[in-house]
Amino acid sequence: MLKIGVTGGIGSGKSVVSELLRLYGVPVYDADRESKRLTGRSPVIRRGLLEIAGERVYGGPGGTLDRRYLASFIFGHPENLARVNALIHPVVNRDFLDWCTRQGRPLVAIESAILFESGFDGMVDTVVMVDAPLEIRIARAQARDHASREAIERRVASQMPDEEKRRRADHVILNDDRQALIPQVGTLVDTLSRQANAHF
């Protein structure tokens, strides 16, 4: 089994590429969605968050996770964010690896905006960066999230620079509304399928 990491900045089109991978028969684990699920349900995370953030963090209806409070607890507080991430990321790592064993496919993938920052890149065999010009990314994110340009720019600034992602990635897919995505993803799947058959 060859594990693929899919990453890219806000508005780059990671989810579109992930959907194309699924159409090519490659299961994709959505790290953002699964981390939210695990944060709400994992007993390990619950115990840790209660210790880190106090009982108010589970002050939602029926003792559920208060996501707005958690967001305020970590926003603008790097030390709190680091402690929460150090709690959540290992649980997501284990969940991803368990998920991989259930797939029984030669290729699997994980989509994560923070693949490098979270250390998820250490669990995969190859990294694919989805890239797009900054102006296109901002326009896409504004249209999708109905957010101001300034808010999107702050989110862009908070992420790892694209240059660093490109440097660390093994493959780059260009999603600039000019290069066709399907042939790029098809070529990638063919290349990685051959690698999987040869080495795994």
Side-chain angles (χ1 to χ4, degrees):
M1 177 184 287
L2 188 146
K3 301 180 186 72
I4 307 162
V6 180
T7 194
I10 182 173
S12 62
K14 295 180 300 299
S15 296
V16 176
V17 169
S18 292
E19 204 50 52
L20 288 172
L21 286 172
R22 291 184 182 101
L23 290 174
Y24 276 101
V26 180
V28 181
Y29 181 96
D30 184 332
D32 183 53
R33 183 181 66 212
E34 298 302 327
S35 67
K36 287 177 181 173
R37 174 183 64 83
L38 290 165
T39 301
R41 297 183 184 177
S42 164
V44 172
I45 292 176
R46 184 182 182 93
R47 284 194 301 271
L49 284 180
L50 285 168
E51 184 176 320
I52 294 169
E55 294 195 5
R56 189 175 166 190
V57 75
Y58 282 96
T64 57
L65 178 68
D66 185 338
R67 294 187 183 278
R68 292 182 68 177
Y69 175 73
L70 179 60
S72 69
F73 180 76
I74 62 179
F75 183 75
H77 301 281
E79 68 286 353
N80 291 346
L81 177 62
R83 292 179 70 195
V84 170
N85 284 343
L87 169 68
I88 294 173
H89 290 162
V91 177
V92 178
N93 287 358
R94 285 192 296 274
D95 190 68
F96 169 63
L97 294 175
D98 290 344
W99 174 89
C100 287
T101 62
R102 298 194 299 271
Q103 302 311 305
R105 306 297 289 272
L107 298 178
V108 297
I110 178 172
E111 176 193 336
S112 174
I114 55 168
L115 190 84
F116 295 116
E117 298 93 324
S118 64
F120 293 158
D121 61 308
M123 301 187 305
V124 299
D125 303 297
T126 191
V127 173
V128 177
M129 179 198 176
V130 184
D131 198 8
L134 180 60
E135 284 303 316
I136 291 177
R137 290 172 49 207
I138 290 173
R140 286 175 184 159
Q142 282 184 278
R144 181 191 66 199
D145 300 341
H146 308 291
S148 68
R149 182 184 179 92
E150 293 74 20
I152 299 299
E153 286 177 340
R154 284 196 299 271
R155 289 167 65 184
V156 169
S158 72
Q159 295 182 336
M160 179 183 286
D162 284 356
E163 298 76 19
E164 179 67 8
K165 287 192 176 94
R166 276 193 292 271
R167 187 184 69 78
R168 296 174 65 172
D170 301 296
H171 308 272
V172 176
I173 288 180
L174 187 57
N175 184 24
D176 61 357
D177 297 334
R178 299 173 70 181
Q179 310 292 322
L181 271 182
I182 292 174
Q184 292 183 77
V185 175
T187 299
L188 175 73
V189 171
D190 287 345
T191 299
L192 297 180
S193 294
R194 287 195 296 271
Q195 288 183 21
N197 292 333
H199 300 292
F200 292 88

